[in-house]
Amino acid sequence: MTITQLEYIVAVDTYRSFVAAANKCYVTQPTLSMQVQKLEDTLGVKIFDRSKQPVIPTEIGEEIIAQARVLIAESEKIKEIVTDRQKELSGELKVGIIPTISPYILPKILNSFIEKYPQVKLIVWEQTTEQIIQQLKLGTLDCGLLSTPLNESALTEIPVFYENFVAYASKSSKLFKKKTITPEDIDMEEIWVLNEGHCMREQVLNICQRRKATKGFQHFEYNTGSVETLKRMVDMNNGATILPELALAEMTDKQRDRVRYFKSPEPAREVSIVMHRNYLKRRMIEALKNEILEFVPKRLRTKKKKEIVEI
């Protein structure tokens, strides 16, 4: 049994295809298949059911692959021992960021991070929470920047900041006429929200759950995954929306006039760096966290006088 063989069965499990796994491992498909077969012969069991398309692990194969992931992670820690002795950080850091955080954080820290750590290649994917969770569990991402808590036993969360939610209202909205608001003031029939699959949608609905929906007829339903689109819908139409506070940074004075803050305790989201519980690249992840903290305003680094909204 070799580490390479374990890497191959993990790759087949991840991509559910011998051809795709071989491509990702930079070997030919016959080479990979032969090594997987050798491992199965050594163990005396079938790890994969090759009669199914896509290929799936057998029942015992699932247990073997889960242990293989642990062993590969532990072997990578040996490399980290050497890397940690080096003064300069180097290598790849694969990061997943949800779309409601990415545009307000990534452009602000990217150049600074690259200048400080020129030997680190930052590879970023903008994905939904569920996609990032899955990729972290599979080991195809090193970390994610997500709204938490996730309540996932396989993952480790390090809270970084606590971002307030604010209302953004058109002049026709009842919210516009108030200086500060409460969740009870919100009428869900006039609120533009993100489509399903975005954790911020669930948080907005949780903020608004204190207000019972009134009966009425909505003439239009719009599905979007963009916070910026929600702002434009309010600008160009009626109604209101709920925004994360960092989305206010580049607003015009006219747009800021439409912002209404919640009374204390203000609803907020906890934003964390999330890794697999056996995570690697600790120094690089710590460097990323510190870079984010340098950008985030001090008031967002504490959860005092805030109510963390569940996902």
Side-chain angles (χ1 to χ4, degrees):
M1 186 188 307
T2 67
I3 292 293
T4 298
Q5 289 173 337
L6 297 181
E7 288 174 339
Y8 288 171
I9 65 170
V10 166
V12 173
D13 179 56
T14 299
Y15 300 105
R16 297 298 166 103
S17 162
F18 280 85
V19 174
N23 288 335
K24 294 294 182 179
C25 294
Y26 302 103
V27 296
T28 64
Q29 189 265 324
T31 297
L32 182 138
S33 295
M34 182 181 67
Q35 289 300 322
V36 172
Q37 184 66 58
K38 278 187 177 181
L39 181 57
E40 289 178 323
D41 292 344
T42 299
L43 297 174
V45 297
K46 288 293 181 185
I47 298 174
F48 295 103
D49 183 349
R50 292 163 174 81
S51 68
K52 303 289 180 62
Q53 290 296 329
V55 64
I56 60 172
T58 60
E59 186 175 344
I60 194 169
E62 288 182 351
E63 295 183 42
I64 292 169
I65 292 165
Q67 189 59 38
R69 292 184 186 278
V70 173
L71 290 172
I72 292 169
E74 291 299 317
S75 71
E76 287 294 323
K77 288 181 181 178
I78 295 174
K79 298 177 184 176
E80 282 212 345
I81 291 172
V82 177
T83 303
D84 285 347
R85 291 282 188 261
Q86 299 171 344
K87 291 183 179 180
E88 190 170 21
L89 289 179
S90 62
E92 289 184 348
L93 184 63
K94 299 174 183 177
V95 185
I97 307 182
I98 57 175
T100 59
I101 294 176
S102 179
Y104 312 115
I105 292 286
L106 193 60
K108 308 292 184 181
I109 69 166
L110 191 58
N111 285 339
S112 177
F113 186 88
I114 292 171
E115 287 176 7
K116 288 180 182 177
Y117 309 105
Q119 298 304 312
V120 174
K121 183 178 181 180
L122 199 60
I123 303 173
V124 181
W125 283 272
E126 191 174 286
Q127 297 175 320
T128 65
T129 296
E130 286 304 315
Q131 288 173 324
I132 293 172
I133 288 173
Q134 183 68 13
Q135 296 301 313
L136 288 172
K137 288 180 178 178
L138 291 173
T140 51
L141 286 178
D142 297 310
C143 65
L145 193 61
L146 304 167
S147 187
T148 53
L150 300 172
N151 300 313
E152 289 278 350
S153 60
L155 304 179
T156 296
E157 301 171 4
I158 302 177
V160 181
F161 63 93
Y162 306 90
E163 184 179 17
N164 298 351
F165 286 110
V166 301
Y168 185 67
S170 64
K171 290 185 178 181
S172 65
S173 169
K174 293 178 182 178
L175 298 180
F176 187 82
K177 299 173 178 63
K178 296 177 177 288
K179 290 184 178 180
T180 57
I181 63 171
T182 66
E184 290 79 8
D185 294 325
I186 297 172
D187 182 355
M188 278 305 298
E189 289 181 6
E190 73 163 6
I191 293 292
W192 299 96
V193 295
L194 296 173
N195 55 19
E196 292 185 8
H198 293 271
C199 60
M200 203 182 97
R201 171 192 171 89
E202 303 306 317
Q203 289 172 315
V204 170
L205 295 179
N206 285 337
I207 292 171
C208 302
Q209 69 181 351
R210 302 175 194 175
R211 165 73 180 260
K212 292 183 179 179
T214 56
K215 291 184 179 179
F217 178 71
Q218 291 179 297
H219 294 271
F220 184 69
E221 182 178 319
Y222 185 72
N223 293 287
T224 181
S226 167
V227 171
E228 293 303 306
T229 301
L230 295 180
K231 284 163 56 178
R232 291 190 185 98
M233 293 303 288
V234 173
D235 288 339
M236 303 299 292
N237 299 279
N238 295 323
T241 192
I242 305 296
L243 303 176
E245 188 172 341
L246 290 178
L248 311 183
E250 296 181 8
M251 280 187 174
T252 64
D253 291 340
K254 183 179 179 180
Q255 287 176 316
R256 285 183 177 273
D257 188 49
R258 296 181 174 182
V259 174
R260 294 295 179 269
Y261 291 89
F262 285 89
K263 292 179 181 178
S264 183
E266 296 175 79
R269 63 176 175 178
E270 176 184 85
V271 177
S272 302
I273 290 183
V274 182
M275 302 77 58
H276 191 277
R277 65 184 175 212
N278 298 316
Y279 73 100
L280 303 168
K281 304 184 181 180
R282 294 170 185 259
R283 284 181 65 207
M284 277 192 269
I285 291 171
E286 181 70 17
L288 178 63
K289 185 191 81 170
N290 291 337
E291 202 63 37
I292 294 170
L293 281 173
E294 283 189 22
F295 159 70
V296 171
K298 287 184 179 180
R299 68 181 179 278
L300 301 189
R301 299 177 197 172
T302 177
K303 57 181 177 181
K304 289 181 180 179
K305 297 182 179 181
K306 297 177 184 179
E307 182 178 347
I308 305 303
V309 183
E310 294 292 327
I311 298 173

